[in-house]
């Protein structure tokens, strides 16, 4: 009896004490409370110093939590194609961990080229799982800056030239990432459409172009994707740096769009204390680092939103209400992520992630030309296939700036082809050499170019066919952060090499990896061209599957390829329009970006937006609508038949463009308003149904500062690309 008492009493006491601890548990720790209640409770427990400490970096990629209250730090990481390796606390140099080699997913241009929002959801889920596994709070991506010129070094990280396409692709990516309890950070808000003078250029453009072209994807990311954070861009807009731009951050983002997440500065993008405090920035990162080029030179305590902020608050210069708003947002992000009750655990480099990466790559590859069915190449068709070109072997996940990855593996195109066709059938020669990949530094190759060409030509002569695998890469002045390309031409002497290859063997097909359009002086002479983007870890497998016909290509271009540089809208207006005069840059082409320009000005592009071939053919039926007359709140139901008229199964990204017959303002000849990826078995026919909101036909009226749908006639066209309209129908908006 006495013995039992010894056990029962302490157990009872323990139970009572657990109950009383639970009863006292503050609301911010109680996952059953609403996030807003948790925020208010945490805020009420914090000192001024603790609040300020949350608003700036404590290391290159992290910011403080509230250690005293057990509120965790915020850990960010790039983004957007894989989860970047660990870096040192206060340096850009790598930390040398051995557990951080990730899955490299295809570049976002490839994702956009899939024209498939489902692929984007799969992408977001998978990369979100990797970020979660690595204990990241925020993934620094995706990027949705609009493709304005083919010279922008970072186009490969974005989703092309069309605001509608980018909007539809960005939303599921964010949803997928955030399902993992990891915040997406949409970047770079806004108008960061070039790398030349990215830290200082002052962008000037009309409200109309801002709202119609450059903001929609960000707005969709915030309102539909419900992004938990957004990154300000380095450049200025109307004289104010975008990391503390009152109009962009306070008015548009937070007031008009009701964004309730965190505005994070780009690294080193903050330049003014008062503006940093008052103009909508919440979290200051990387100050005194010039993008990726300088290691920390200012102690974190000296950041604008650190000690100077605290002093200003204490002296009454700054209001605590504004500080509380920042802290609320940061706490909200923490409660949505690291302190959320149902945060999953993530996964890293899983076979499913490889499969996701491969499928996206396969869906994004674009077949641009295919005379006499050069592709697909059946396994036993040729004895000897020459593979020429550096991109068949060079890592294309390394380099390019902040999106550079330490991948767990990367299957090169050459290895993919060897696996597919057998090593006895493949012979390789490099053909050109691009030099080393170094950030912000061009290291020109010292290898003798002529001897590389000669060796490649010898190989080409003896082969049945030649597959040239080239394009751009992630070197400085190519597809890379901090500088733009110098020209539209293929670099590293590739045009000369291609000409020599064609002389040696006219069965030479061209496969290009790039995130940008390139000039193709040899276009008429080559039988086939493939645009293969940057495909990530599974590059070679996806590549070989498409080349061999195991996968039927279905990607379509998310941006137009101009025949020459001056055909590009921004560039056609001269230096002030691109790259600016060193201080200002005026977007003279206004709303006529990409195909909107080519179409309206009747300039024929080399390849139009939305273009891509298949190994099969499709027949489009005539477009019809459910009604003839709509009100501006209506949903327009569009349908047409689509038939696979070829011998193999395939998918087609169908597009619907809209034009207004008579408008009170200049309107583009047509604008994309709906698309769908449709899979059809050989000979199958389907009715494709799409929906367009009548209000999506609005233009932005600068004068009234509002979206306007004018009553009158609109033409809807179903199309296989911006230059391949199949049929049209007239409707009326009343
Ligand atoms: C880039 C951002 C990136 C950040 C952190 C900046 O230079 O512009 O896109 O997320 O560095 O690496």
């Amino acid at each position: 009896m006495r013995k039992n008492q010894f056990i029962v009493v302490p157990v009872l006491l323990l139970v009572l004490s657990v109950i009383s601890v639970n009863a006292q548990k503050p609301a911010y720790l109680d996952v059953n409370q609403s996030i807003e209640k948790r925020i208010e409770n945490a805020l009420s427990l914090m000192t001024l110093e603790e609040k300020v400490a949350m608003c700036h970096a404590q290391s290159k990629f992290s910011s403080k939590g509230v250690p005293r209250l057990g509120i965790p730090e915020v850990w960010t990481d790039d983004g957007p194609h894989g989860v970047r390796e660990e870096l040192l606390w206060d340096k850009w140099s790598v930390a040398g961990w051995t557990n951080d080699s990730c899955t490299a997913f295809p570049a976002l241009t490839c994702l956009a080229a899939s024209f498939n929002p489902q692929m984007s959801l799969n992408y977001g889920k998978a990369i979100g799982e990797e970020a979660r596994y690595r204990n990241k709070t925020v993934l620094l991506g995706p990027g949705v800056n609009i493709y304005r010129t083919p010279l922008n070094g970072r186009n490969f990280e974005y989703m092309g030239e069309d605001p509608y396409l980018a909007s539809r692709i960005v939303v599921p990516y964010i949803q997928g990432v955030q399902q993992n309890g990891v915040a997406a950070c949409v970047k770079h808000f806004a108008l960061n459409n070039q790398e030349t003078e990215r830290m200082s250029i002052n962008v000037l453009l009309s409200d109309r172009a801002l709202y119609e072209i450059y903001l929609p994807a960000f707005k969709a990311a915030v309102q539909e994707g419900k992004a938990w954070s957004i990154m300000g861009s380095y450049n200025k807009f109307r004289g104010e740096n975008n990391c503390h731009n009152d109009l962009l951050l306070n008015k548009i983002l937070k007031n008009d769009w009701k964004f309730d997440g965190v505005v994070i500065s780009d690294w080193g993008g903050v330049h003014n204390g008062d503006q940093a405090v008052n103009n909508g920035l919440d979290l200051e990162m990387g100050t005194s680092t010039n993008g990726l080029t300088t290691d920390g030179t200012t102690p974190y305590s000296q950041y604008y939103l650190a000690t100077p902020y605290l002093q200003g608050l204490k002296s009454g210069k700054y209001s605590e209400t504004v500080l509380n708003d920042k802290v609320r947002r940061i706490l909200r992000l923490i409660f949505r992520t690291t302190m959320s009750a149902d945060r999953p655990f993530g996964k890293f480099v899983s076979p499913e992630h490889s499969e996701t990466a491969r499928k996206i790559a396969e869906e994004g590859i674009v077949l641009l030309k295919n005379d006499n069915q050069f592709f697909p190449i059946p396994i036993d068709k040729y004895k000897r296939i020459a593979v020429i070109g550096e991109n068949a072997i060079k890592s294309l996940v390394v380099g390019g700036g902040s999106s550079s990855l330490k991948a767990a593996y990367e299957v090169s195109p050459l290895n993919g082809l060897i696996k597919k066709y057998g090593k006895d059938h493949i012979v390789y020669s490099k053909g050109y050499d691009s030099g080393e990949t170094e950030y912000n530094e061009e290291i020109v190759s010292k290898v003798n170019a002529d001897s590389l060409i000669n060796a490649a030509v010898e190989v080409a002569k003896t082969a049945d066919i030649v597959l040239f695998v080239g394009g751009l890469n992630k070197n400085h002045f190519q597809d890379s952060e901090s500088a733009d390309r110098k020209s539209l031409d293929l670099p590293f002497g590739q045009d000369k090499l291609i000409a020599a290859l064609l002389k040696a063997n006219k069965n030479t097909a061209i496969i290009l990896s790039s995130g940008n359009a390139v000039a193709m002086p040899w276009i008429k002479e080559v039988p086939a061209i493939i645009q293969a983007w940057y495909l990530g870890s599974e590059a070679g497998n996806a590549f070989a599957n498409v080349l061999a016909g195991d996968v039927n290509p279905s990607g379509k271009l998310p941006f137009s390829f101009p025949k020459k540089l001056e055909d590009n809208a921004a560039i056609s207006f001269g230096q002030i329009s691109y790259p600016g005069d060193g201080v200002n840059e005026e977007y003279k082409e206004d709303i006529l970006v990409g195909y909107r320009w080519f179409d309206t000005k009747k300039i024929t592009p080399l390849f139009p937006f939305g273009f891509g071939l298949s190994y099969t053919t499709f027949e489009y039926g005539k477009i019809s609508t459910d009604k003839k007359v709509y009100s501006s709140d209506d949903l327009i139901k569009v349908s047409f038949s689509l038939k696979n008229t070829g011998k193999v199964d395939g998918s087609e990204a169908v597009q619907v463009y809209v034009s207004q017959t008579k408008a009170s303002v200049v309107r583009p000849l047509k604008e994309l308003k709906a698309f769908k990826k449709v899979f059809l078995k050989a000979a199958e026919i389907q009715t494709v149904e799409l929906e367009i909101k009548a209000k999506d036909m609005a233009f932005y009226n600068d004068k009234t500062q509002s979206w306007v749908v004018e009553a009158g006639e609109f033409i809807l066209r179903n199309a296989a690309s911006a230059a391949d309209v199949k049929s049209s129908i007239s409707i009326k908006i009343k």
Side-chain angles (χ1 to χ4, degrees):
M1 190 68 186
R2 277 184 70 88
K3 228 181 181 180
N4 270 352
Q5 254 179 356
F6 275 119
I7 299 168
V8 171
V9 171
V11 167
L12 212 65
L13 282 174
L14 189 73
V15 169
L16 282 175
S17 70
V18 167
I19 290 171
S20 76
V21 164
N22 266 341
Q24 285 162 13
K25 186 155 91 175
Y28 78 93
L29 287 175
D30 184 353
V31 292
N32 297 316
Q33 299 276 357
S34 73
I35 285 187
E36 296 310 308
K37 276 212 175 113
R38 296 176 74 190
I39 293 170
E40 292 314 312
N41 176 243
L43 197 69
S44 72
L45 300 172
M46 289 168 67
T47 64
L48 195 67
E49 283 75 9
E50 284 168 337
K51 289 179 186 176
V52 170
M54 288 191 109
C55 299
H56 59 89
Q58 63 164 2
S59 76
K60 202 56 107 186
F61 277 92
S62 74
S63 60
K64 268 208 171 62
V66 192
R68 182 178 62 89
L69 299 177
I71 295 176
E73 299 168 343
V74 170
W75 277 88
T76 69
D77 202 352
D78 288 298
H81 304 145
V83 187
R84 188 180 185 174
E85 73 198 289
E86 302 301 323
L87 301 188
L88 292 178
W89 185 257
D90 190 26
K91 291 209 177 306
W92 287 112
S93 353
V94 299
W97 293 16
T98 54
N99 63 348
D100 56 355
S101 301
C102 67
T103 305
F105 296 92
L108 295 192
T109 33
C110 175
L111 177 64
S114 77
F115 272 68
N116 189 346
Q118 182 60 47
M119 285 296 131
S120 181
L121 183 64
N122 299 349
Y123 194 130
K125 277 186 188 164
I127 194 172
E129 282 180 349
E130 299 227 340
R132 166 64 191 96
Y133 187 84
R134 294 264 306 280
N135 279 320
K136 303 301 176 190
T137 329
V138 180
L139 179 76
L140 302 173
V144 283
N145 294 98
I146 289 291
Y147 189 110
R148 180 173 177 252
T149 88
L151 299 186
N152 177 16
R154 288 186 90 173
N155 276 336
F156 73 101
E157 287 187 63
Y158 306 139
M159 299 181 178
E161 73 186 23
D162 183 69
Y164 179 76
L165 175 65
S167 303
R168 291 311 96 214
I169 300 294
V170 74
V171 168
Y173 182 115
I174 294 165
Q175 291 167 336
V177 168
Q178 295 189 166
Q179 281 171 22
N180 291 288
V182 172
C185 182
V186 190
K187 62 193 191 182
H188 307 87
F189 189 65
L191 303 164
N192 186 183
N193 304 107
Q194 68 188 46
E195 291 299 287
T196 304
E197 312 208 54
R198 66 170 173 165
M199 307 298 282
S200 61
I201 198 76
N202 180 34
V203 175
L204 302 169
L205 81 170
S206 71
D207 276 346
R208 194 167 164 212
L210 178 71
Y211 280 94
E212 286 189 23
I213 305 294
Y214 297 98
L215 293 187
F218 286 105
K219 186 177 182 189
V222 167
Q223 295 196 328
E224 295 174 60
K226 307 232 174 297
W228 292 334
S229 67
I230 196 165
M231 187 189 292
S233 63
Y234 283 134
N235 53 291
K236 293 179 186 147
F237 166 53
R238 295 186 187 158
E240 223 162 49
N241 280 97
N242 288 357
C243 289
H244 32 78
N245 188 302
D246 188 48
L247 176 59
L248 285 177
L249 303 178
N250 278 337
K251 181 177 180 303
I252 297 176
L253 179 66
K254 291 185 171 176
N255 185 64
D256 298 351
W257 297 354
K258 308 279 174 257
F259 174 67
D260 66 0
V262 179
V263 175
I264 303 180
S265 76
D266 200 344
W267 271 233
V270 181
H271 304 280
N272 179 303
D274 291 351
Q275 291 180 8
V277 170
N278 291 317
N279 289 359
L281 175 70
D282 301 310
L283 178 53
E284 179 187 3
M285 300 299 292
T287 296
S288 281
T289 66
N290 170 13
L292 284 178
T293 51
T294 322
D295 286 330
T297 51
T298 299
Y300 297 104
S301 61
Q302 287 312 309
Y303 273 36
Y304 295 99
L305 293 187
T307 310
Y309 191 18
L310 187 63
Q311 282 164 351
L313 282 157
K314 284 189 173 158
S315 72
K317 184 180 179 199
Y318 300 135
S319 117
E320 199 171 338
T321 312
V322 175
L323 171 69
N324 284 344
D325 179 64
K326 297 186 201 304
V327 177
R328 280 194 180 95
R329 289 167 182 276
I330 297 167
L331 288 169
R332 192 173 292 123
L333 182 133
I334 293 171
F335 292 132
R336 283 169 163 167
T337 56
T338 38
M339 290 184 81
S340 126
D342 47 7
R343 196 179 196 215
F345 299 102
K347 261 191 232 167
F348 199 50
V349 199
S350 71
E352 296 83 30
H353 292 178
S354 297
E355 199 182 321
T356 298
R358 198 195 71 245
K359 283 201 169 135
I360 296 163
E362 289 168 350
E363 279 222 16
I365 290 174
V366 184
L367 179 64
L368 291 176
K369 184 174 181 187
N370 199 21
D371 286 356
N372 304 321
Q373 295 181 320
F374 186 96
F375 293 120
I377 304 167
I379 301 294
D380 294 321
K381 186 165 177 189
Y382 300 114
K383 277 214 174 69
R384 197 171 152 86
I385 300 173
V387 178
I388 313 280
E390 192 189 56
N391 278 352
I393 56 165
K394 188 176 172 84
S395 172
L396 295 173
V397 305
V398 171
S402 54
S403 62
S404 180
L405 294 173
K406 179 164 113 189
Y409 71 98
E410 182 181 3
V411 181
S412 69
L414 182 62
N415 282 338
L417 291 170
I418 288 174
K419 220 172 14 166
K420 186 66 79 182
Y421 293 99
K423 67 176 176 3
D424 297 342
H425 297 289
I426 302 281
V427 47
Y428 176 72
S429 185
K430 201 172 182 192
Y432 70 92
D433 187 272
S434 69
E436 272 169 63
T437 306
E438 196 52 65
Y439 182 70
N440 215 31
E441 196 185 337
E442 190 180 26
I443 303 180
V444 179
S445 167
K446 293 199 177 70
V447 183
N448 183 296
D450 286 338
S451 63
L452 284 176
I453 293 182
N454 293 341
V457 163
E458 287 314 307
V459 169
K461 272 185 196 162
T462 63
D464 299 314
I465 57 163
V466 178
L467 301 177
F468 173 76
V469 187
L472 307 181
N473 60 23
K474 304 284 187 69
N475 288 7
H476 192 52
F477 292 129
Q478 303 303 318
D479 283 329
S480 182
E481 200 173 325
S482 95
D484 282 351
R485 297 167 65 200
K486 292 176 185 167
S487 87
L488 190 66
D489 297 339
L490 277 178
F492 321 122
Q494 291 176 82
D495 286 337
K496 188 174 168 195
L497 168 63
I498 292 171
L501 292 174
L502 280 166
K503 252 195 196 158
N505 190 329
K506 61 180 182 357
N507 283 326
T508 296
I510 308 292
I511 298 133
L512 299 173
S513 286
S514 75
N516 258 316
V518 299
M520 301 184 187
W522 29 258
I523 188 166
K524 291 211 176 89
E525 294 153 62
V526 301
I529 306 170
I530 283 178
Q531 175 61 30
W533 316 115
Y534 298 115
L535 300 176
S537 286
E538 284 287 316
N541 292 335
F543 194 88
N545 285 346
V546 169
L547 262 57
D550 300 336
V551 168
N552 189 352
S554 62
K556 298 226 170 170
L557 294 179
F559 51 82
S560 321
F561 276 51
K563 283 189 175 157
K564 51 185 192 310
L565 205 47
E566 308 78 66
D567 288 350
N568 167 267
I571 289 169
S572 74
F573 287 98
Q575 191 197 351
I576 188 64
S577 177
Y578 174 84
D581 66 5
V583 180
N584 295 313
E585 179 178 30
E586 292 171 32
Y587 285 15
K588 294 258 188 197
E589 74 285 8
D590 202 50
I591 53 161
L592 297 182
V593 175
Y595 67 87
R596 287 166 168 77
W597 172 260
F598 286 98
D599 261 11
T600 314
K601 298 290 173 187
K602 304 206 169 13
I603 300 169
T604 310
L606 188 66
F607 291 107
F609 171 85
F611 176 77
L613 302 169
S614 162
Y615 296 151
T616 186
T617 43
F618 297 96
E619 194 180 279
Y620 286 64
K622 185 157 172 29
I623 187 168
S624 65
T625 51
D626 59 334
K627 292 196 287 183
K628 285 275 159 225
V629 182
Y630 297 87
S631 79
S632 58
D633 290 327
D634 280 347
L635 200 59
I636 304 166
K637 294 192 175 158
V638 175
S639 62
F640 52 90
S641 65
L642 184 75
K643 186 172 184 201
N644 180 341
T645 45
K647 292 198 177 63
V648 288
D649 303 349
S651 296
E652 169 78 342
V654 300
Q655 299 148 53
V656 176
Y657 294 84
V658 173
S659 359
Q660 188 177 352
T661 315
K662 256 192 214 145
S664 64
V665 293
V666 175
R667 298 210 68 174
L669 192 69
K670 62 181 186 298
E671 296 181 273
L672 183 72
K673 295 294 171 195
F675 65 85
K676 197 179 210 171
K677 190 98 174 231
V678 185
F679 173 79
L680 291 179
K681 290 199 157 301
E684 190 184 341
I685 183 160
Q686 246 186 50
T687 303
V688 181
E689 290 175 342
L690 296 149
E691 290 180 345
I692 299 173
K693 290 186 194 124
K695 70 170 186 316
D696 284 354
M697 301 189 183
F699 67 87
Y700 189 81
N701 187 326
D702 284 55
K703 290 186 196 88
T704 58
Q705 296 275 306
S706 59
W707 290 94
V708 181
V709 188
E710 286 180 331
E713 188 192 31
F714 287 80
I715 312 285
L716 275 52
R717 308 165 202 273
N718 59 344
S721 80
D724 188 6
V725 170
K726 302 294 184 181
S727 70
S728 51
I729 187 167
S730 154
I731 58 148
K732 281 214 165 55
I733 306 271
K734 26 173 213 208

